[in-house]
């Protein structure tokens, strides 16, 4: 029991928090772009697992981690293209298409995994932690914050770039306008559809990378259903973050903490909590987060196809 | 009552005014479009198989013909159709109200747990009482589990899409806890509950096959819910809320109550499906009693354009596909998850072919 309050425990938990938040940070910041443009991608879970599988498959065949993450991003965007085609061009219901994307993503990755990989049982070389010289030896914070892998560090760059693009560029302004008042954008002579395609591709590309983190950094292989609801949790993160990239970063960290606590407390048999109660933590907290959030900032045109006429 | 029916066609505005609308044409449309959608989905499954070194023709051969070998295989298909029809029909009601209940899988487990608790408890009860009791327990538990998401939606505006999915995970993890803990059969080494008392088992209607009365109940409930949705004023209110909640409110309809009603009906149907799986098929609770019927039910409802009568047929069709994919796994080592890919493709082609025309002005969140 003494373990729980020790500094070591806290440092490990804090480090794990950031690491476990990373897939959510990628997926939720991407989804912020998508939803700010008015497209609700319920298929995020399917996109993430396609990214997880594509990254894994690419590293198994090329041995290169950067190629793995690139493949995951492209695979995510490919799925995003299908989603965009149906929801933006055909103007089909976003929820219906998203549900299909989830079924296809989970089914296709399981099918290909069983066909090509299951008997090999191979793991891949995962992204290694990089010690930041000078800082990684700091007591407490050294272990928690400065011994992470490159992908985890890159979330800082991602949130910075996302904030700048969304609030400080004309692209970001137009993208937000597309989600609030598409007619204005249309009248101003820009294509609503093009911006929505762009937003969906940004969202699904990032979700693909987030998925790949699970197979290329968090663990070293693909498992069917490895995303285990993270795509859906990312959707809730976006709501709780009130459609802000910085908020998505912070809320993702909060959920990272729930995942970290779940793992850390499972390693404490003295506590005598059934492990299922800990397993439930992220899912229960997602519901709590949705209930607590103040409403009224939803992008006006979220989920509504744009008709030119 | 005639106006109600006219209003129901307003749900799916005619995309091309002026084209034939006679009975024969409508019947042809109602069959041809879904059939085309299913064929395209099977075709893409075949292409996928061919690309990965399997025999693509197998999809059509096994899925459409191979599964109908004898009485036993047909009865096994009907057995699988029971949960699919029940869940699909229930989701028709929720989707017509624009309530995106993605949590049928969790509601099925809630029903299965309740059926188990009741089904092992009362020794010496007559089947005439016990069987309905188990069914009611499952339906009530499923409705209650779905009702949580309904209440969160009505009182806190929490998106039911996310909450029902989270409740899926919570239900599955809870089941895993129950079968390793409080409900575990002390006499067994496996994580599973004790066997249900015999009087609680669903009566079989076609011995020696496993087919039970659930299939009759499923079809009867589908017809009943069709009449509810399209021939009753309560069902009319559910649909108006689904098409335009603001207009419904102006017309004096209680939006919250209709949301609760529709999500609880869909939950009750999924819970009943869970009770039938326990009391009709497995006779005990364990972790993976459902191969994903709750998610498959979404495709069942969509292929039927949210029409409960149509869901009887689409549920049957998906049962054929599921049996076919099991057979392909056994005979040709094709991974059985092929069935989820075909389901996903069915939904996409259903959208592309305009089978699914239901559209709401309500926002998804």
């Amino acid at each position: 029991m003494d373990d729980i309050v020790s500094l070591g425990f806290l440092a490990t938990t804090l480090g794990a928090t950031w690491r476990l938040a990373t897939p959510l940070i990628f997926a939720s910041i991407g989804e912020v772009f998508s939803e700010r443009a008015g497209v609700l991608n319920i298929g995020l879970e399917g996109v993430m697992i396609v990214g997880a599988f594509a990254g894994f498959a690419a590293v198994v065949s090329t041995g290169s981690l950067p190629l793995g993450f690139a493949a995951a991003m492209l695979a995510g965007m490919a799925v995003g293209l299908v989603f965009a085609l149906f929801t933006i061009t055909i103007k089909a219901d976003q929820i219906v298409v998203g549900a299909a994307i989830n079924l296809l993503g989970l089914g296709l990755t399981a099918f290909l995994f069983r066909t090509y990989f299951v008997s090999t049982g191979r793991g891949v070389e995962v992204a290694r932690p990089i010690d930041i010289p000078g800082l990684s030896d700091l007591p407490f914070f050294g272990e928690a914050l400065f011994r992470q892998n490159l992908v985890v560090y890159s979330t800082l760059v991602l949130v910075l770039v996302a904030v700048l693009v969304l609030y400080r560029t004309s692209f970001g302004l137009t993208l937000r306008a597309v989600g609030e008042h598409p007619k204005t954008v249309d009248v101003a002579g820009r294509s609503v559809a093009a911006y929505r395609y762009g937003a969906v591709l940004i969202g699904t590309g990032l979700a693909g990378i987030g998925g790949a983190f699970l197979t290329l950094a968090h663990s070293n292989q693909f498992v069917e259903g490895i995303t285990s609801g993270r795509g859906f949790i990312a959707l809730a993160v976006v709501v709780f973050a009130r459609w802000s990239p910085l908020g998505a970063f912070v809320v993702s960290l909060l959920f990272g903490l729930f995942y970290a606590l779940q793992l850390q407390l499972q390693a404490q048999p003295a506590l005598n909590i059934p492990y299922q109660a800990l397993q439930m933590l992220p899912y229960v907290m997602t519901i709590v987060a949705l209930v607590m959030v103040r409403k009224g900032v939803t992008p006006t045109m979220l989920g509504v196809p744009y008709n030119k006429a | 009552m005639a106006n109600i029916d006219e209003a129901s066609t307003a749900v799916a505005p005619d995309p091309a005014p002026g084209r034939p609308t006679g009975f024969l044409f409508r019947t042809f449309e109602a069959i041809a479009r879904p059939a085309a959608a299913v064929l395209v989905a099977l075709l893409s499954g075949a292409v996928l198989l061919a690309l990965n070194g399997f025999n693509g023709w197998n999809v059509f051969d096994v899925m459409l013909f191979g599964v109908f070998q004898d009485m036993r295989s047909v009865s096994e298909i009907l057995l699988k159709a029971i949960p699919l029809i029940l869940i699909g029909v229930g989701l028709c009601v929720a989707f017509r109200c624009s309530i995106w209940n993605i949590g049928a899988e969790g509601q099925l487990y809630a029903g299965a747990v309740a059926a188990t608790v009741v089904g092992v408890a009362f020794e010496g009860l007559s089947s005439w009482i016990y069987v309905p009791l188990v069914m009611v327990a499952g339906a009530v538990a499923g409705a209650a589990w779905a009702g949580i998401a309904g209440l969160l939606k009505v009182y806190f505006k929490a998106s039911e899409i996310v909450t029902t999915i989270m409740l899926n995970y919570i239900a599955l993890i809870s089941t895993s806890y129950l079968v390793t803990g409080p409900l575990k059969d002390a006499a067994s080494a496996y994580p599973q509950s004790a066997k249900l008392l015999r009087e609680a088992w669903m009566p079989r209607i076609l011995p020696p096959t496993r087919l039970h009365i659930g299939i009759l109940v499923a079809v009867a409930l589908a017809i009943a819910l069709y009449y509810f949705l399209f021939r009753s004023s309560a069902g009319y209110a559910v649909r108006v809320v689904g098409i335009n909640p603001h207009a419904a409110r102006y017309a004096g309809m209680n939006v919250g109550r209709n949301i609760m009603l529709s999500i609880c009906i869909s939950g009750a149907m999924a819970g009943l499906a869970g009770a039938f799986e326990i009391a009709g098929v497995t006779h005990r609770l364990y972790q993976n009693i459902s191969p994903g019927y709750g998610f498959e039910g979404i495709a069942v409802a969509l292929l039927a354009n949210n029409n409960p009568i149509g869901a009887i047929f689409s549920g049957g069709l998906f049962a054929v596909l599921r049996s076919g994919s099991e057979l392909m796994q056994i005979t040709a080592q094709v991974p059985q998850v092929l069935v989820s890919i075909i389901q996903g493709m069915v939904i996409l082609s259903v959208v592309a072919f305009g089978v699914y025309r239901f559209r709401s002005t309500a926002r998804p969140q």
Side-chain angles (χ1 to χ4, degrees), chain A residues 111-151:
Chain A
F111 178 86
L112 293 174
F113 181 69
R114 284 191 210 174
T115 308
Y116 293 106
F117 294 100
V118 78
S119 51
T120 63
R122 266 174 74 181
V124 294
E125 192 93 357
V126 298
R128 279 179 196 283
I130 298 170
D131 292 4
I132 306 287
L135 296 173
S136 61
D137 295 327
L138 284 177
F140 188 73
F141 289 110
E143 181 187 345
L145 302 180
F146 302 108
R147 283 183 203 164
Q148 305 280 9
N149 63 52
L150 199 58
V151 188

Side-chain angles (χ1 to χ4, degrees), chain A residues 181-307:
Chain A
H181 206 292
K183 193 92 202 162
T184 321
V185 178
D186 200 5
V187 170
R190 299 196 197 175
S191 161
V192 171
Y195 273 88
R196 288 197 165 164
Y197 266 89
V200 168
L201 291 182
I202 292 173
T204 49
L206 290 175
I209 297 176
F213 185 85
L214 296 170
T215 47
L216 302 181
H218 180 56
S219 75
N220 68 346
Q221 51 186 323
F222 182 82
V223 178
E224 283 169 39
I226 189 171
T227 43
S228 59
R230 281 179 175 82
F232 299 117
I233 292 179
L235 290 174
V237 167
V238 174
V239 178
F240 198 41
R242 310 180 79 197
W243 293 271
S244 127
L246 188 61
F249 180 78
V250 174
V251 176
S252 295
L253 283 176
L254 183 67
F255 276 91
L257 176 66
F258 300 139
Y259 277 107
L261 277 178
Q262 172 206 325
L263 291 179
Q264 298 284 316
L265 293 178
Q266 275 188 42
Q268 305 283 335
L271 273 181
N272 207 9
I273 306 174
Y275 74 93
Q276 291 99 341
L278 298 169
Q279 256 186 336
M280 272 184 207
L281 196 60
Y283 307 116
V284 174
M285 292 319 290
T286 302
I287 294 179
V288 172
L290 274 185
V291 169
M292 278 167 49
V293 69
R294 260 194 310 141
K295 299 299 190 298
V297 287
T298 316
T300 318
M301 286 296 150
L302 187 59
V304 185
Y306 180 64
N307 284 307

